[in-house]
Amino acid sequence: MNISRDLSRHPCFNGAVKGSYGRVHLPVAPRCNIRCNYCNRKYDCVNESRPGVTSALLSPVQASLYVEKILAIEPRISVAGIAGPGDPFANPDETLGTMRLLKEKFPDILLCLSTNGLRIGGYLDEIADIGVTHVTITVNAVDPQIGQKIYSWVRDGKVIYRGLKGAELLLSRQIAAIEGLKARGITVKVNSIVVPSVNDRHIEEVARTMAGLGVDILNCMPMHPNEDTPFEDIEEPGREMMEEIRSKAVVYLPQMTHCTRCRADAVGLLGEDRSEELRGCLSECAAHSAGLAERPYVAVATMEGMLVNQHLGEAYRLQIWSRTGEGFRCIGERMAPEPGAGMLRWKQLAETLADCRAVLVAGIGETPSKALKLAGIEPVEISGFIEPALEAVYSGRGLNEFKSRRPGGCSKGIGCSGTGDGC
């Protein structure tokens, strides 16, 4: 899919519109897969305005609700982006799930991602199909000898690479990702963090190399020294240094000079950020679970209709319960998808239970739990009678007394006769 290049409504890619259009960053990606020597990600830090911090984390469903509320308050928002607080593709399910929901609900909003580039390569077709139009990749060096001074480690799957090997892997993935994005017609911005005495004399070469890959714009960002990092004692680059670096880089690529080093939950115009003002809205959405009108039912894994006593992986059907004026009643049953399809099984189950706010189970594995949460359905491990547990779920109070007390949680051989392969 080839996506038309549009800079007219993106304030980060086009400084001329920064006073007319705004952005909202959605903090749905907490995990990161590299360790930069200048980065200290404080998820809940409300007193700092810089990348890697947010006052709350959102699920995809919560992020969609947040965008809806933000657009009602600030209609000049034209871009919804994910920029952490970790890396979007260390959290691919949350990232892509959020993008899909936004595209369906807000088809006119521009979708934007900011990543280190390590794992985005495996999702390029999906990104294009969803309709992501703008991607930023942070490239701090095109020489691994310099890159190894900037990164403590790079984690690819379960393997951690350090030193030169880590820098080489990251650079190769970044180059491949940029080439793949441009081949799909996606607008690409590169961020380069300027670290004095480390890569400040290397940025011109970064600009030259990125121009050769078809990058659209370069953002040279002065490093902000952060406590408890290897670079905490390096001074922030001054204006003169940044102007000199940009004057050399602009020979190869247009420069973004209006960057405000946004938080992972930034919202508003670039020059009129409203993150602090709207923090209550963010917190409200982070605490939100689908209301009764949206998801009026609760699914229950039960063998006889009195107790929550089945592991989700063993349940071939689920009872659906509703709250009434007189209490609770079972309104029917729904068949669970057949075992053996892996993650697809749990995605199908989430679709089957789309009008349920929660699923009560005696046990559940990590994979189905993740799939249900991404769909906005809360899996709750419960032990006891169904109706008191339903009262606790609907009221949001007193769940702890019902929670299962099996040691070690759900795993093969502990309260589950399954093989472990299905969940």
Side-chain angles (χ1 to χ4, degrees), residues 309-311 314 362-364 406-407 409-418:
N309 54 13
Q310 269 194 310
H311 188 290
E314 297 177 308
I364 185 170
R406 293 176 295 102
C410 173
S411 60
K412 182 181 175 183
I414 302 178
C416 174
S417 60

Side-chain angles (χ1 to χ4, degrees), residues 185-264:
I186 295 174
T187 304
V188 176
K189 173 167 67 72
V190 162
N191 285 350
S192 292
I193 312 302
V194 178
V195 186
S197 76
V198 177
N199 71 343
D200 52 308
R201 297 183 180 181
H202 180 61
I203 299 299
E204 182 179 2
E205 183 58 32
V206 173
R208 181 187 294 114
T209 303
M210 295 299 103
L213 296 174
V215 166
D216 297 278
I217 187 171
L218 178 67
N219 179 22
C220 300
M221 302 173 63
M223 184 205 71
H224 176 77
N226 290 309
E227 293 182 1
D228 301 323
T229 68
F231 287 170
E232 66 177 334
D233 294 324
I234 297 179
E235 290 188 7
E236 182 171 344
R239 178 178 295 181
E240 289 186 6
M241 176 183 285
M242 295 306 302
E243 288 180 351
E244 180 181 356
I245 288 172
R246 288 170 180 146
S247 69
K248 294 178 179 178
V250 76
V251 174
Y252 307 98
L253 282 172
Q255 299 292 295
M256 177 183 181
T257 59
H258 57 288
C259 177
T260 57
R261 295 195 294 205
C262 298
R263 293 166 54 98

Side-chain angles (χ1 to χ4, degrees), residues 29-71:
R31 297 178 295 279
C32 199
N33 46 23
I34 70 174
R35 176 62 189 272
C36 303
N37 288 330
Y38 50 75
C39 183
N40 184 357
R41 295 178 300 120
K42 299 176 182 178
Y43 298 162
D44 59 351
C45 182
V46 299
N47 298 315
E48 293 187 75
S49 182
R50 60 176 175 82
V53 298
T54 179
S55 58
L57 293 171
L58 302 175
S59 70
V61 171
Q62 290 167 342
S64 177
L65 174 64
Y66 180 56
V67 171
E68 182 178 359
K69 291 180 178 292
I70 288 298
L71 289 176

